[in-house]
């Protein structure tokens, strides 16, 4: 079939002449050659009203009104990024402030059992992170990242205000009279009424919903402030994600220290109120930076584009690539992309069955439906989303460990001496130490780690993104293994010293600062793994799906919280037997439980997870490398002809 007869034109960058058939000698040759057969059309009707033309091939930054920015030097860059850092710092302060205080609030004020309180908070944390894909979807599809942050940060503030009211108004909490520590342990305090718990859960989940909309957008919106065409773009992006996580860490440190101090000195209402005030101030700061921000146009519903690829591929499932009906792989001409806010994506050989969605057949005609024929870029978007899944999936276990440390290590700290000289730290302040280790590491990252690792790896940034994720997962194994070793020693010491039944009594001769080893190790693991993952997802995700790509990390965090709840329930049911009075490993009395066994179970699971990550990372190919290899492959085949 002649190309001109169907109003199709060849891209000048590709092979002249369209083959009527495609019959390579072997499957490997077929896979290599498939990517060079592109048919491009100006008459293509897309689901989004035509292609989007931009100076950068579709990813040109625009102002808040959607118009191209005439002078980029007056917008974006580090100044705009610092306004965004402030919003993230307050959001993380509220998130960690709730995570560390809400379990105690439910136990001491709402009179819920400790285990059910911990599970309720784990579920809240899990839902707020796992539902982040909703925020990413809205940002990429319709609202853009700025408006998504603006809307959901306001919802976040409403939720925090509601929680503050719960802690302030006596009508929203049960009666606190004659409810001392003994009554709490025996379960004799008046429990919260169902409608009181319903109110608390409602405002808690409103807060989680607000966090879900913010989380996948803030890091991507901050990274959007840097020019992709700049020579120093990679260096700026690398430093941005480190500073971004530094702002996360500062928010966590404030939550674990200042907010805890306010709670002890001034009560729950003041503690939660301080979180609401911080969020309100950060919202104001974010809106003040509006004239400086660079924006990316939303590309339309990514779910629709994914569905179109799957439907089109299914319809052509029986069409062979060597069929005489096959014209070529379909794409728009020149630099234009059918997707707003996106550059074109080079064809890859992965998930070859999806390529059938882009097969141009004679029967498709000159004006095919997007549900029958998709562009190569659209198909590659789906491929990329699938290829990315194994990497964040391997970080679920790290997030599970982080969740367990927030509750289990606090229970350990209750039995230990938390004095530092003449200063006695509250037990709820203990999780600040991972934050301090993260802060120190990020401050020393470019002056110490990068030069040392550059000598070993030869990588300009010290280590690649996947190497940093792998380092984090490896260090997390050491952290949880040490936690098991120390817990075994702590438990034996408690039994020998007669503290077996006194699990809320501190032992004066055993310092809580032995916990710093596991705290610092998990802090180091978090820096390498999460920062590397955020940068990896931003760079590797399709241009018009970067918020969804960033949501992958949040979803992994949410699944880690859910997995912690599920694992706790399984361990309790298997290791405990109330009829035979056998204590589970996770008994509320930590001195009769076996937290050490549980930590070693996590160690074994972490080793298995690390091996799975090594396999996934070995198979993964960076997009930039794919582009280079594809160009070399096409040039080689052109030369051979």
């Amino acid at each position: 079939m002649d190309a001109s007869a169907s109003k199709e034109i060849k891209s000048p960058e590709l092979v002249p002449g369209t083959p009527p058939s495609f019959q390579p000698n072997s499957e490997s040759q077929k896979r290599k050659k498939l990517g060079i057969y592109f048919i491009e059309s100006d008459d293509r009707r897309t689901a989004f009203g035509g292609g989007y033309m931009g100076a950068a091939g579709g990813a040109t930054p625009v102002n808040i009104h959607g118009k191209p920015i005439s002078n980029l030097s007056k917008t974006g860059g580090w100044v705009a990024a610092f306004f965004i850092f402030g919003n993230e710092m307050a959001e993380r302060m509220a998130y960690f402030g709730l995570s560390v205080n809400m379990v105690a609030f439910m136990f001491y004020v709402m009179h819920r059992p400790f285990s059910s309180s911990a599970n309720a908070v784990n579920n809240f944390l899990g839902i707020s992170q796992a539902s982040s894909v909703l925020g990413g979807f809205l940002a990429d599809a319709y609202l853009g990242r700025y408006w998504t942050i603006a809307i959901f940060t306001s919802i976040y503030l409403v939720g925090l205000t509601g929680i503050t009211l719960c802690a302030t108004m006596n009508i929203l909490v049960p009666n606190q009279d004659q409810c001392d520590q003994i009554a709490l342990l025996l379960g004799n305090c008046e429990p919260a009424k169902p409608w009181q718990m319903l109110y608390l859960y409602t405002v808690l989940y409103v807060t989680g919903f607000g966090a879900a909309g913010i989380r996948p957008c803030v890091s991507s919106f901050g990274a959007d402030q840097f020019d992709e065409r700049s020579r120093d773009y990679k260096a700026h992006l690398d430093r941005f994600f480190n500073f971004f996580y530094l702002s996360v860490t500062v928010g966590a440190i404030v939550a674990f220290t200042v907010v805890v101090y306010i709670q002890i000195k001034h009560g729950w209402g003041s503690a939660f109120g301080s979180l609401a005030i911080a969020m309100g101030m950060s919202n104001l700061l974010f809106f003040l930076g509006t004239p400086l921000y660079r924006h990316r146009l939303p590309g339309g519903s990514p779910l629709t584009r994914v569905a179109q690829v799957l439907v089109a591929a299914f319809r052509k499932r029986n069409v062979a690539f060597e069929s005489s009906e096959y014209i070529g792989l379909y794409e728009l001409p020149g630099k234009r992309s059918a997707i707003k806010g996106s550059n074109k994506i080079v064809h890859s050989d992965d998930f070859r069955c999806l390529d059938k969605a882009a097969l141009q057949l004679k029967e498709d005609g000159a004006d095919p439906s997007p549900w029958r024929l998709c562009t190569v870029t659209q198909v590659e978007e789906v491929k990329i989303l699938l290829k990315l899944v194994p990497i964040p999936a391997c970080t679920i276990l790290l997030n599970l460990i982080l969740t367990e440390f927030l509750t289990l290590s606090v229970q350990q700290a209750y039995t230990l001496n938390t004095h530092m000289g003449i200063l006695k730290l509250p037990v709820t302040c203990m999780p600040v130490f991972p934050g301090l280790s993260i802060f120190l590491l990020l401050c020393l990252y470019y002056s110490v780690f990068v030069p040392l690792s550059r000598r070993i790896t030869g990588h300009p940034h010290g280590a690649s993104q996947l190497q940093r994720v792998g380092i984090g997962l490896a260090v997390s194994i050491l952290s949880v293994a040490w936690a098991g070793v120390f817990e075994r020693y702590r438990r034996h010491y408690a039994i020998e010293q007669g503290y077996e039944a006194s699990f809320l009594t501190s032992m004066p001769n055993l310092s809580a600062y032995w916990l710093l080893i596991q705290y610092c190790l998990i802090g180091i693991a978090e820096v390498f793994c999460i920062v590397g993952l955020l940068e990896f997802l931003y760079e590797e995700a399709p241009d018009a799906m970067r918020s969804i790509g960033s949501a992958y990390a949040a979803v992994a965090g949410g699944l880690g919280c859910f997995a912690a709840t599920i694992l706790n329930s399984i361990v309790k049911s298997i290791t405990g037997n109330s009829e035979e009075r056998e204590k589970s490993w996770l008994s509320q009395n930590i001195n009769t439980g076996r937290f050490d066994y549980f930590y070693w179970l996590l160690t074994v699971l972490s080793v298995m997870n690390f091996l799975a990550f090594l396999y996934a990372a070995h198979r993964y190919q960076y997009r930039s490398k794919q582009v280079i290899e594809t160009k070399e492959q096409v040039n080689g085949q052109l030369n051979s002809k």
Side-chain angles (χ1 to χ4, degrees), residues 114-177:
F114 183 84
S115 58
S116 64
S117 299
N119 285 341
V121 174
N122 284 349
N123 290 335
F124 154 71
L125 299 177
I127 291 173
S128 71
Q129 295 191 76
S131 58
S132 295
V133 71
L134 172 64
F137 168 77
L138 291 175
D140 287 340
Y142 304 112
L143 300 176
R145 288 185 261 277
Y146 173 86
W147 287 112
T148 303
I149 295 171
I151 292 170
F152 282 91
T153 198
S154 301
I155 295 174
Y156 205 138
L157 181 58
V158 170
L160 289 174
T161 303
I163 293 174
T164 303
L165 292 176
C166 181
T168 305
M169 301 176 66
N170 291 333
I171 193 174
L172 297 175
V173 297
N175 194 329
Q176 305 298 313
D177 295 338

Side-chain angles (χ1 to χ4, degrees), residues 199-321:
Y199 173 82
L200 177 59
Y201 283 137
T202 299
V203 293
L204 194 60
Y205 285 111
V206 167
T207 305
F209 182 66
I214 298 171
R215 189 171 293 112
C217 301
V218 177
S219 62
S220 298
F221 187 55
D224 287 345
Q225 305 310 310
F226 299 96
D227 189 355
E228 294 181 0
R229 295 165 295 182
S230 169
R231 180 185 302 176
D232 299 326
Y233 174 68
K234 291 282 187 180
H236 285 314
L237 205 62
D238 182 62
R239 288 182 179 271
F240 165 77
F241 280 104
N242 278 281
F243 280 117
F244 174 80
Y245 212 72
L246 187 63
S247 69
V248 171
T249 304
V250 172
I253 291 173
V254 173
F256 293 138
T257 53
V258 177
V259 177
V260 170
Y261 175 81
I262 292 174
Q263 186 273 314
I264 293 173
K265 293 294 184 181
H266 303 286
W268 294 103
S270 298
F272 293 137
S274 67
L275 300 179
I277 292 171
M279 179 56 68
M281 293 175 63
S282 76
N283 289 359
L284 178 62
L285 182 67
F286 176 78
F287 290 124
L288 285 175
T290 298
L292 299 173
Y293 299 143
R294 298 174 183 175
H295 306 260
R296 303 293 175 121
L297 291 176
S301 171
L303 295 183
T304 301
R305 297 202 300 275
V306 171
Q308 287 173 344
V309 170
L310 298 179
V311 170
F314 180 78
R315 284 180 167 180
K316 296 179 180 178
R317 64 191 182 281
N318 295 324
V319 179
F321 287 114

Side-chain angles (χ1 to χ4, degrees), residues 306-464:
V306 171
Q308 287 173 344
V309 170
L310 298 179
V311 170
F314 180 78
R315 284 180 167 180
K316 296 179 180 178
R317 64 191 182 281
N318 295 324
V319 179
F321 287 114
E322 61 271 16
S323 169
S324 60
E325 298 294 313
Y326 166 45
I327 298 174
L329 296 182
Y330 194 85
E331 185 56 274
L332 292 183
K335 293 184 177 181
R336 288 195 307 170
S337 171
I339 304 162
K340 289 182 180 179
S342 174
N343 292 303
K344 283 186 175 180
I345 305 176
V346 177
H347 175 266
S348 68
D349 291 327
D350 301 294
F351 302 105
R352 194 164 178 266
C353 60
L354 296 177
D355 284 330
K356 293 190 175 183
L359 285 183
Q360 174 77 52
L361 303 179
K362 295 177 182 178
E363 64 187 56
D364 288 327
D367 191 24
S369 165
W371 294 93
R372 287 192 58 85
L373 182 63
C374 304
T375 63
V376 169
T377 294
Q378 191 174 341
V379 173
E380 290 300 319
E381 277 190 330
V382 181
K383 289 184 182 181
I384 291 170
L385 290 180
L386 292 175
K387 287 188 290 186
L388 288 177
V389 168
I391 304 302
C394 288
T395 66
I396 292 175
L397 195 62
L398 173 66
N399 286 286
L400 183 153
I401 293 171
L402 290 169
T403 303
E404 298 288 9
F405 272 11
L406 276 176
T407 53
L408 301 185
S409 61
V410 169
Q411 284 183 265
Q412 289 176 293
Y414 270 114
T415 70
L416 302 172
N417 181 4
T418 60
H419 281 85
M420 181 181 288
I422 60 173
L423 178 65
K424 184 182 188 300
L425 290 181
V427 169
T428 48
C429 278
M430 294 303 292
V432 74
F433 290 103
L436 292 175
S437 66
I438 293 172
F439 183 85
L440 180 62
L441 180 61
L442 287 173
C443 291
L444 298 176
Y445 184 83
Y446 289 102
S447 60
V448 177
F449 173 77
V450 171
L452 289 176
S453 57
R454 187 185 291 132
R455 295 178 182 177
I456 300 173
T457 64
H459 194 279
H461 302 301
S464 69

